[in-house]
Amino acid sequence: MGLTIGVDIGGTKVAAGVVDQDGRIVEHRLRPTPAENPELVADTIAQVVKELAEGHEIEAVGLGAAGFVDETRSIVRFAPNLAWREEPLQKKVSDLVGLPVVVENDANAMAWAEARFGAGRGESHVVCVTVGTGIGGGIVLDGSLYRGRWGMGAELGHMQVIPDGRPCGCGNLGCWEQYASGNALVAEARLNAEADPASAARLLEIAGGTPGDVEGPEVTDAAREGDPASLAAFASMAEWIGRGLSDLAAVLDPGCFILGGGVSRAADLWIDRARESFAANLTGRGHRPLADIRLAELGASAGLVGAADLARRR
Ligand SMILES: [Zn+2]
């Protein structure tokens, strides 16, 4: 009883699984995403759902999609990495599989899974921040996922923290993710290496000598060897992560923040600094409890587990 299917549709992979009511994955499938063609994406999802549904009693299907999902949880208005524009994904897939389907933003699905079954278990007010190339987010308030009026809430990475700052892929200037993400880490390391090559000697050695060729894993490796320019890039990113979290706490007052995403895999290099920056910038500090800052626990499966659980609550 109580089984649902969750599907996490990424730019390169479709990950799907049968999930029980405790968030456990009972059976799992992985397929490449035919990213250029919306019809093929819907077909791929339907195939994998039908395959998983054989041999299980399935109540509903939750689809986690990277993009703007409307408030009825039916239509993907826009997806940055797939060819979806006003895509009626809910109807297409439910027609193909004959089961109830809901569509969720992938970062919201991830946040829900972490809040219910991962690092936020037992907490009713949780803000999840995914620090990858950019910053994604999800907000759980009073035990419910907060989607906003139009389904477009929790785009945390696009708070504008610096007036007329660095240009962002969203079209605005100075967004938080331009200072506090993996891309920001690389940008900062490149700037440091250009301004003071001596401080980036090890980083430049690993990266082949040109500041513009520096990539994230090289910054991490060099930082672990004590490279000053790379450590400074991590310190800057951490400082900005803490500042952003303090702004989010000023508005939302969560019991805990959960940090996930690719950059969190090197959290030992920056999380203490982020916690310090959070505590130092929090409004009302000294007169309020400090929200816990934790690392995500569910890894890459969080998106599909969250989508499956949200489908159960349709
Ligand atoms: Zn932006």
Side-chain angles (χ1 to χ4, degrees):
M1 271 301 284
L3 293 177
T4 53
I5 290 175
V7 187
D8 187 5
I9 307 140
T12 57
K13 280 173 294 184
V14 175
V18 177
V19 178
D20 73 13
Q21 47 204 340
D22 298 317
R24 281 184 297 246
I25 300 172
V26 177
E27 207 181 329
H28 186 260
R29 293 278 190 288
L30 202 59
R31 294 282 158 76
T33 308
E36 67 296 332
N37 185 331
E39 302 310 319
L40 288 180
V41 175
D43 286 345
T44 301
I45 296 166
Q47 275 168 23
V48 78
V49 167
K50 282 181 187 163
E51 223 174 89
L52 285 169
E54 274 173 35
H56 298 284
E57 186 101 11
I58 301 297
E59 284 179 16
V61 179
L63 309 177
F68 287 110
V69 178
D70 81 325
E71 74 276 16
T72 67
R73 304 202 277 166
S74 306
I75 295 163
V76 184
R77 295 202 181 280
F78 171 81
N81 302 317
L82 290 168
W84 285 329
R85 303 292 181 266
E86 299 297 326
E87 170 74 5
L89 190 62
Q90 186 270 338
K91 183 169 184 348
K92 267 189 195 169
V93 174
S94 68
D95 285 353
L96 288 168
V97 302
L99 286 165
V101 172
V102 299
V103 186
E104 298 280 355
N105 169 269
D106 63 338
N108 283 352
M110 251 180 262
W112 181 252
E114 287 290 346
R116 284 265 296 150
F117 308 115
R121 269 187 317 277
E123 296 279 356
S124 56
H125 293 73
V126 176
V127 176
C128 200
V129 180
T130 314
V131 188
T133 53
I135 289 184
I139 298 169
V140 174
L141 295 179
D142 258 330
S144 297
L145 182 67
Y146 179 79
R147 297 186 179 85
R149 169 64 182 87
W150 314 108
M152 313 231 170
E155 289 292 335
L156 308 182
H158 302 285
M159 300 188 294
Q160 295 177 75
V161 296
I162 297 272
D164 302 323
R166 293 179 187 159
C168 182
C170 75
N172 282 335
L173 300 173
C175 292
W176 187 34
E177 70 172 32
Q178 298 307 318
Y179 301 87
S181 66
N183 280 353
L185 175 75
V186 171
E188 201 68 27
R190 288 178 179 178
L191 288 172
N192 293 348
E194 258 165 41
D196 183 5
S199 77
R202 182 60 185 139
L203 174 62
L204 288 169
E205 196 181 344
I206 297 173
T210 310
D213 291 344
V214 165
E215 298 294 346
E218 294 155 356
V219 183
T220 304
D221 290 347
R224 290 202 189 288
E225 295 179 36
D227 179 76
S230 303
L231 288 169
F234 270 104
S236 166
M237 183 192 74
E239 178 68 24
W240 275 110
I241 288 175
R243 282 175 181 253
L245 298 185
S246 72
D247 282 350
L248 291 166
V251 180
L252 299 167
D253 190 26
C256 76
F257 289 99
I258 300 174
L259 303 180
V263 179
S264 68
R265 285 197 285 274
D268 57 305
L269 287 168
W270 56 267
I271 194 145
D272 289 344
R273 178 67 182 260
R275 287 187 176 118
E276 284 164 23
S277 164
F278 170 68
N281 289 289
L282 182 64
T283 189
R285 56 191 174 277
H287 305 283
R288 62 188 288 177
L290 273 186
D292 219 9
I293 298 176
R294 305 174 188 165
L295 291 173
E297 290 179 0
L298 301 180
S301 66
L304 86 84
V305 170
D309 198 63
L310 288 163
R312 184 173 289 117
R313 295 148 181 275
R314 66 196 182 283

